């Protein structure tokens, strides 16, 4: 009898444990599936400004794709104001956004807002600009940042014949992007890694005192001394006019200007046309001028020999990459295509990095082939 009771007790206990395990397993599966996001859910997209052509394209491309996939989209532009971007993101949280995509105006200032988003259960994707000093970033998508600067520097090196033994000395002026944009440092680092040895040898020199002076001992961590707040064309023009007045007012030759994007390039072009009308586009008197983004004005400028090149970052591909991230998150899948990690000062953020392309007069039509600019518009820009 005692043996029978013990056996029954063992069976009952095993059954109970099995039942608990089954319940636990069921709850685990249910939790896993609840991590998916229903169709029709709200996705937030926070862009930094409408004042730069590229952000309008970025926002429009991503919004269109997500809406076609059946999601509601809140698209906001922060008017170059960090406080406005924080308010925009908080509004997305209040509207129950499940994923929030942020192209930060200021990668540090936006931290509190994305932390609130995380607390609400939303996933946060940093778009093109890394969000700094917070754990509240799930993924990051951008282009190979240092490669942008590498392509710009490589173009200058090739055009001046430095690798072929040209000794100059060549006069070059150097600008960096907005001091509140974390990407600007990476763009400059990619360029400076190639250009600094030529400064050290004296083949390249900056004869102005812009930003306190750029020479062979200039280091990447000083990049903000030669930066342009908010990537403003007008500020770049003012700075470049000052450089020309102080250092190039007596016919001194300007061989190249490292400008990290097309807006700054336009400021440099405006300044040269105003202060040095003796410099003629398409001749040796006109400097090599670099850029980035393949803005419409840059396409026209390159065609007219005013700007030498631009680094083409196909924002449609970036929108595709982020769209895929959002859909995979929504479906509860592991995000694919992660090929790097970027340090935001607190965590290593899983990142998807795309390759940029050099455009100059020889391959400008790549913007048409990719669908970035319609052929009819391209013909207008290159008349």
């Amino acid at each position: 009898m005692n043996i029978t009771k013990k056996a029954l007790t063992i069976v009952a206990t095993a059954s109970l444990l099995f039942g608990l395990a089954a319940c636990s397993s069921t709850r685990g599966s249910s939790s896993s599936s609840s991590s998916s996001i229903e169709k029709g859910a709200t996705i937030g997209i926070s862009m930094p400004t409408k004042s730069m052509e590229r952000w309008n394209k970025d926002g429009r491309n991503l919004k269109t794709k997500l809406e076609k996939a059946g999601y509601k989209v809140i698209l906001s532009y922060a008017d170059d104001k960090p406080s406005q971007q924080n308010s925009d993101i908080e509004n997305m949280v209040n509207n129950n956004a499940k994923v929030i995509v942020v192209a930060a105006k200021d990668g540090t200032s936006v931290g509190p807002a994305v932390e609130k988003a995380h607390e609400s259960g939303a996933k946060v994707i940093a778009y093109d600009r890394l969000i700094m000093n917070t754990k509240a970033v799930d993924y990051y998508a951008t282009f190979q940042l240092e490669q942008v600067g590498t392509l710009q520097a490589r173009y200058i090196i090739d055009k001046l014949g430095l690798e072929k033994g040209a000794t100059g000395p060549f006069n070059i002026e150097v600008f960096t992007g907005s001091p509140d944009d974390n990407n600007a440092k990476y763009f400059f680092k990619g360029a400076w890694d190639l250009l600094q040895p030529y400064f050290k040898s004296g083949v390249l020199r900056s004869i102005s005192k812009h930003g306190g002076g750029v020479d062979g001992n200039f280091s990447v961590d000083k990049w903000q001394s030669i930066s342009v707040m908010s990537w403003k064309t007008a500020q770049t023009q003012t700075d470049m006019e000052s450089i020309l007045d102080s250092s190039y007012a007596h016919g001194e030759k300007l061989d190249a200007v490292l400008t990290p994007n097309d807006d700054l390039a336009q400021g440099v072009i405006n300044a040269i046309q105003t202060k040095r009308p003796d410099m003629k586009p398409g001749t040796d008197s006109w400097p090599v001028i670099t850029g980035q983004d393949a803005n419409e004005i840059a396409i026209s400028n390159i065609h007219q020999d005013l700007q030498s090149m631009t680094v083409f970052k196909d924002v449609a591909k970036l929108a595709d990459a982020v769209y895929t991230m959002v859909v995979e998150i929504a479906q509860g899948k592991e995000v694919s295509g992660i090929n790097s990690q970027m340090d935001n000062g607190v965590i290593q953020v899983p990142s998807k990095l795309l390759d940029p392309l050099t455009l100059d007069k020889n391959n400008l039509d790549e913007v048409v082939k990719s669908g970035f600019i319609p052929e009819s518009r391209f013909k207008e820009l290159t008349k």
Side-chain angles (χ1 to χ4, degrees):
M1 179 67 73
N2 287 339
I3 294 172
T4 304
K5 283 182 179 180
K6 285 181 181 177
L8 289 172
T9 300
I10 291 169
V11 170
T13 302
S15 298
L16 178 61
L17 290 172
F18 179 80
L20 287 172
C23 279
S24 174
S25 174
T26 302
R27 281 197 296 268
S29 322
S30 170
S31 171
S32 175
S33 62
S34 70
S35 66
S36 61
I37 299 170
E38 70 278 4
K39 276 293 178 69
T42 299
I43 309 296
I45 304 172
S46 176
M47 292 285 156
T49 181
K50 278 189 171 182
S51 66
M52 289 174 64
E53 179 185 321
R54 67 148 301 186
W55 297 118
N56 294 287
K57 286 187 176 182
D58 283 86
R60 185 170 59 247
N61 287 340
L62 190 51
K63 182 175 186 287
T64 298
K65 292 182 73 66
L66 288 169
E67 285 180 338
K68 283 183 179 179
Y71 298 98
K72 295 176 184 175
V73 177
I74 300 173
L75 171 60
S76 298
Y77 290 87
D79 194 28
D80 276 322
K81 298 172 183 173
S83 59
Q84 180 61 52
Q85 186 158 49
N86 283 349
S87 297
D88 291 343
I89 294 169
E90 289 176 13
N91 177 60
M92 294 168 188
V93 172
N94 293 336
N95 280 278
N96 199 30
K98 300 298 185 183
V99 180
I100 299 180
V101 179
V102 181
K105 162 57 186 168
D106 183 326
T108 300
S109 297
V110 81
V114 297
E115 284 163 8
K116 287 183 181 178
H118 242 211
E119 288 167 8
S120 76
K123 295 289 187 182
V124 174
I125 299 173
Y127 186 101
D128 199 49
R129 296 175 173 179
L130 187 56
I131 299 170
M132 305 299 293
N133 303 325
T134 178
K135 293 181 180 179
V137 190
D138 296 285
Y139 300 101
Y140 178 38
T142 189
F143 291 84
Q144 298 277 3
L145 301 178
E146 289 189 25
Q147 191 177 347
V148 172
T150 298
L151 293 176
Q152 292 168 342
R154 174 60 56 197
Y155 199 88
I156 290 172
I157 289 167
D158 289 347
K159 289 301 177 183
L160 297 183
L162 304 189
E163 286 191 339
K164 294 180 179 178
T167 58
F170 298 100
N171 295 331
I172 178 172
E173 298 300 326
V174 182
F175 289 87
T176 60
S178 188
D180 57 5
D181 183 348
N182 185 63
N183 287 6
K185 178 180 179 179
Y186 290 101
F187 299 148
F188 178 61
K189 183 180 185 305
W192 194 238
D193 283 350
L194 293 186
L195 296 179
Q196 187 178 25
Y198 293 105
F199 274 85
K200 282 185 174 294
S201 68
V203 174
L204 293 179
R205 65 184 184 183
S206 174
I207 62 174
S208 78
K209 296 300 180 184
H210 174 52
V214 176
D215 58 23
N217 295 317
F218 192 85
S219 59
V220 171
D221 59 10
K222 297 178 183 176
W223 70 274
Q224 291 182 332
S225 68
I226 51 173
S227 63
V228 178
M229 177 59 76
S230 299
W231 303 87
K232 293 294 187 182
T233 298
Q235 184 59 56
T236 312
Q237 180 173 347
T238 298
D239 292 348
M240 190 66 200
E241 287 181 356
S242 177
I243 288 170
L244 292 171
D245 282 340
S246 65
S247 304
Y248 296 87
H250 304 291
E252 292 86 352
K253 190 172 188 324
L254 175 62
D255 297 289
V257 186
L258 176 70
T259 45
N261 85 340
D262 297 338
D263 297 273
L264 273 64
Q266 185 62 54
V268 168
I269 292 166
N270 294 345
I272 294 172
Q273 290 177 322
T274 300
K275 295 292 183 177
R276 287 291 301 270
D278 59 304
M279 295 185 184
K280 302 298 181 184
T283 72
D284 289 341
S285 66
W286 192 263
V288 177
I289 300 175
T290 62
Q292 172 187 183
D293 292 332
N295 288 344
E296 287 192 355
I297 189 63
I299 300 303
S300 179
N301 284 340
I302 291 170
H303 178 71
Q304 298 177 66
D305 295 314
L306 291 165
Q307 184 172 327
S308 307
M309 61 83 77
T310 187
V311 177
F312 178 36
K313 303 186 305 184
D314 190 343
V315 295
K317 290 183 179 179
L318 185 57
D320 286 345
V322 174
Y323 165 77
T324 300
M325 279 185 172
V326 173
V327 170
E328 289 173 341
I329 291 169
Q331 294 174 349
K333 295 180 178 178
E334 183 178 346
V335 172
S336 62
I338 300 300
N339 57 4
S340 187
Q341 290 186 328
M342 297 294 286
D343 185 356
N344 79 342
V346 175
I347 60 172
Q348 296 290 328
V349 182
S351 303
K352 185 181 290 190
L353 306 182
L354 310 180
D355 290 322
L357 174 70
T358 296
L359 291 187
D360 65 7
K361 208 167 183 178
N362 296 315
N363 64 340
L364 268 185
D365 60 351
E366 287 293 334
V367 294
V368 176
K369 293 176 183 177
S370 67
F372 186 73
I373 293 178
E375 185 173 7
S376 57
R377 180 60 178 154
F378 180 79
K379 288 180 178 178
E380 292 176 7
L381 295 169
T382 56
K383 280 181 181 177

